[in-house]
Amino acid sequence: MDSNEFRHWSVKAAEWGVDYRAGLRDRPVRPKVEPGQVLNAIAASPPEAAEPMEAIFADFEATIVPGMTHWQHPRFFAYFPANAAPVSVVAEYLVSAMAAQCMLWQTSPAATELETRVVDWLRQALGLPTDFSGVIQDSASSATLAAVLTMRERTLDWQGNKSGLAGAPRLRIYCSEHVHTSIDRAIWVAGIGEENLVRIPTGGRYRAMSTQALDAAIAKDREQGFLPAGVIACVGGTSVGGTDDIATVVDVARRHGLYTHVDAAWAGSAMICPEFRHFWAGVDGADSIVFNPHKWLGAQFDCSIQFIRDPESLVRTLAIRPEFLKTQGREGITNYSEWSVPLGRRFRALKLWFLLRAHGLEGLRTMIRNHVSWSGKLADRLGREPDFEITSVPMLSLFSFRHAPAGVIDLDQHNLALVEAINRDGRIYLTQTRVDGRAVIRFQAGQFEATEADVDKAFEVITELARQK
Ligand code: PLP
């Protein structure tokens, strides 16, 4: 591709993106394709001869786009959002054009220094104290893995990486039943073993882990010869927004000399609004915190911030320093690849810089406040409808409900069939979960372009399709 063609197709791609976004409301949120349909539409062998871009682009439109789930659709109410504000897409065009690998300060000084600056902007935006610094990870899963590895190394006096875990006392990590399964995976990958992830029972309005039970479990494990290493608390769990009492968790963990990691992957974005910070009161005492601006804030996927109180222990756990990665003659530089599991890293800070400047914190706060308010109103409306039951109270903009008409014997089946009917209809997109053993339907408002009318449409679709069941 020569420069003229590159210009032509770059402009075409950018224009396509603008038209795509503008037309999203007219598309079904979830595509109407069957498994294997896209696979079968793609040539089974790679082309030997070059093909014209016209043909490639036409196939993209004809084969790929109809098979996409539209995460930027304003009526995407499933999972958690993965918002990509248009301004962050523009930043990503620039990042793709430069295509820098930003593993070390010297492999792109501007990327490193902008990362330092925007992570600190976010620290201020979330109301965190100056003793936190941070890094942009590719995902909350990676950030939690880095935190678990740090817990492991601190507890084993930095011998785990060297000697392995064989022969060491069994480490223990504590969390509630509401943490994301990425925590389980971090425990597997760190070699700690799922049996050593101790689930503390939860209760109360936001299903917080019992801190008395946490305290007792740590003490009992010590008596029995285990090595307690850390606690993973959650703020805004994925299923129904489970939220721990962070201040008390931190207090218990500190008394036992344990590290606390807080997973606020989704809810963290809402902490730019001071009125929501009570949900993580006490977070100042945590050792690390993860939140994903790629979820609710609007920074195009992927963009996950890990705040850390003591980056030295993270670097001591993860840094690799072969000769070919050393930077000669520079003191005091930061090499962010020493703060994360992957060596190679994309330039993720640019989209945050563009986003924060183009919208300002006040613009982003308005969006989040609207989502929380619209979702609360929808929960009230659904709760007043005959045969609907709210099964978990709104935590920020997330709640769950169930349709429970008289005479239906298998309500789990009924609700799973309802969510499938809603998603097949295509006007909105929802997902299911289990609350207290029962199948329920989740709703979260969080899409960057959503309006109150989109949330009203959700009410219309849910009640209309429930009545047809
Ligand atoms: N933690 C919570 C609370 C989540 O909701 C999710 C994903 O939805 C994760 C962690 C994992 O996030 P990631 O995809 O960035 O690894």
Side-chain angles (χ1 to χ4, degrees):
M1 187 175 272
D2 66 22
S3 306
N4 283 335
E5 286 173 301
F6 185 31
R7 181 181 308 282
H8 171 78
W9 288 106
S10 297
V11 169
K12 170 114 177 141
E15 284 176 347
W16 184 91
V18 174
D19 293 341
Y20 166 77
R21 289 292 182 96
L24 271 175
R25 275 200 181 78
D26 301 329
R27 295 179 188 261
V29 192
R30 197 181 73 171
K32 297 182 189 287
V33 291
E34 295 304 321
Q37 192 178 320
V38 177
L39 181 69
N40 292 329
I42 299 169
S45 322
E48 289 293 339
E51 296 184 49
M53 265 304 284
E54 283 76 7
I56 300 169
F57 206 95
D59 286 349
F60 159 72
E61 290 190 289
T63 308
I64 304 302
V65 180
M68 293 302 289
T69 298
H70 302 295
W71 282 73
Q72 305 313 315
H73 196 300
R75 293 193 298 273
F76 182 103
F77 302 119
Y79 309 98
F80 282 140
N83 283 335
V87 66
S88 81
V89 176
V90 172
E92 283 288 73
Y93 287 147
L94 305 178
V95 166
S96 320
M98 291 186 285
Q101 209 277 46
C102 306
M103 60 184 171
L104 307 172
W105 177 85
Q106 72 167 329
T107 64
S108 272
T112 299
E113 294 183 13
L114 185 63
E115 180 160 342
T116 304
R117 187 59 79 208
V118 293
V119 169
D120 194 64
W121 279 10
L122 286 170
R123 177 195 63 71
Q124 296 173 48
L126 269 56
L128 294 170
T130 48
D131 44 357
F132 281 105
S133 41
V135 57
I136 310 181
Q137 305 279 16
D138 56 6
S139 61
S141 303
S142 290
T144 295
L145 175 59
V148 168
L149 292 169
T150 308
M151 292 177 195
R152 187 189 80 183
E153 288 307 294
R154 269 171 101 240
T155 310
L156 294 178
D157 200 17
W158 316 100
Q159 291 306 304
N161 281 343
K162 193 177 266 175
S163 317
L165 302 191
R170 278 168 71 173
L171 295 164
R172 292 286 222 200
I173 307 246
Y174 306 83
C175 66
S176 87
E177 302 139 6
H178 283 275
V179 293
H180 189 264
T181 34
S182 55
I183 280 79
D184 302 50
R185 190 156 50 191
I187 299 296
W188 307 338
V189 175
I192 292 172
E194 191 169 307
E195 289 169 3
N196 296 310
L197 181 61
V198 181
R199 306 275 180 183
I200 305 296
T202 55
R205 188 171 165 82
Y206 295 110
R207 296 160 202 267
M209 74 168 102
S210 154
T211 44
Q212 285 96 330
L214 172 67
D215 196 19
I218 299 170
K220 185 164 163 232
D221 278 351
R222 273 218 205 285
E223 264 169 45
Q224 297 187 340
F226 293 103
L227 262 188
V231 184
I232 301 178
C234 72
V235 178
T238 319
S239 175
V240 289
T243 294
D244 293 317
D245 167 359
I246 303 298
T248 318
V249 168
V250 164
D251 187 46
V252 172
R254 282 224 175 131
R255 266 194 286 112
H256 289 277
L258 305 193
Y259 182 112
T260 307
H261 173 66
V262 175
D263 179 358
W266 162 68
S269 294
M271 303 308 159
I272 61 171
C273 306
E275 71 272 28
F276 298 135
R277 290 187 193 148
H278 63 92
F279 281 118
W280 73 0
V283 76
D284 315 21
D287 293 286
S288 55
I289 305 161
V290 60
F291 101 99
N292 283 357
H294 74 227
K295 282 188 156 56
W296 203 353
L297 208 60
Q300 166 134 339
F301 186 83
D302 50 0
C303 186
S304 189
I305 308 290
Q306 183 178 8
F307 292 110
I308 305 135
R309 176 181 302 285
D310 171 24
E312 262 315 297
S313 57
L314 176 68
V315 170
R316 192 165 173 193
T317 302
L318 293 180
I320 46 172
R321 291 177 178 144
E323 190 57 36
F324 50 80
L325 292 181
K326 289 187 182 151
T327 301
Q328 300 307 324
R330 298 281 180 177
E331 294 306 316
I333 53 167
T334 303
N335 293 320
Y336 279 119
S337 57
E338 297 181 351
W339 299 44
S340 51
V341 176
L343 172 66
R345 27 198 349 265
R346 294 172 4 82
F347 183 8
R348 298 193 183 90
L350 195 72
K351 58 195 169 196
L352 275 170
W353 194 47
F354 276 40
L355 175 79
L356 293 169
R357 295 181 63 188
H359 289 271
L361 289 174
E362 217 26 68
L364 298 171
R365 285 188 195 111
T366 300
M367 170 189 74
I368 284 176
R369 286 174 179 142
N370 280 338
H371 292 155
V372 173
S373 149
W374 299 335
S375 179
K377 283 194 211 160
L378 178 66
D380 285 348
R381 268 180 100 183
L382 275 180
R384 286 197 305 271
E385 279 294 292
D387 301 335
F388 279 91
E389 186 189 328
I390 300 303
T391 47
S392 59
V393 291
M395 159 56 187
L396 297 169
S397 65
L398 168 68
F399 68 93
S400 66
F401 64 93
R402 181 164 155 108
H403 185 232
V408 174
I409 295 166
D410 189 343
L411 281 175
D412 280 3
Q413 202 38 50
H414 176 78
N415 279 278
L416 293 175
L418 174 58
V419 82
E420 180 49 26
I422 289 170
N423 293 340
R424 222 177 310 111
D425 171 87
R427 282 174 287 171
I428 65 171
Y429 186 25
L430 301 176
T431 36
Q432 71 289 332
T433 189
R434 274 190 185 267
V435 173
D436 306 324
R438 303 182 307 167
V440 303
I441 303 177
R442 281 171 89 258
F443 177 91
Q444 66 74 29
Q447 215 290 320
F448 210 82
E449 309 281 346
T451 62
E452 190 161 14
D454 292 310
V455 179
D456 289 343
K457 177 65 79 181
F459 176 82
E460 197 181 301
V461 173
I462 294 165
T463 50
E464 176 191 316
L465 295 184
R467 296 218 162 95
Q468 288 172 12
K469 292 243 105 222

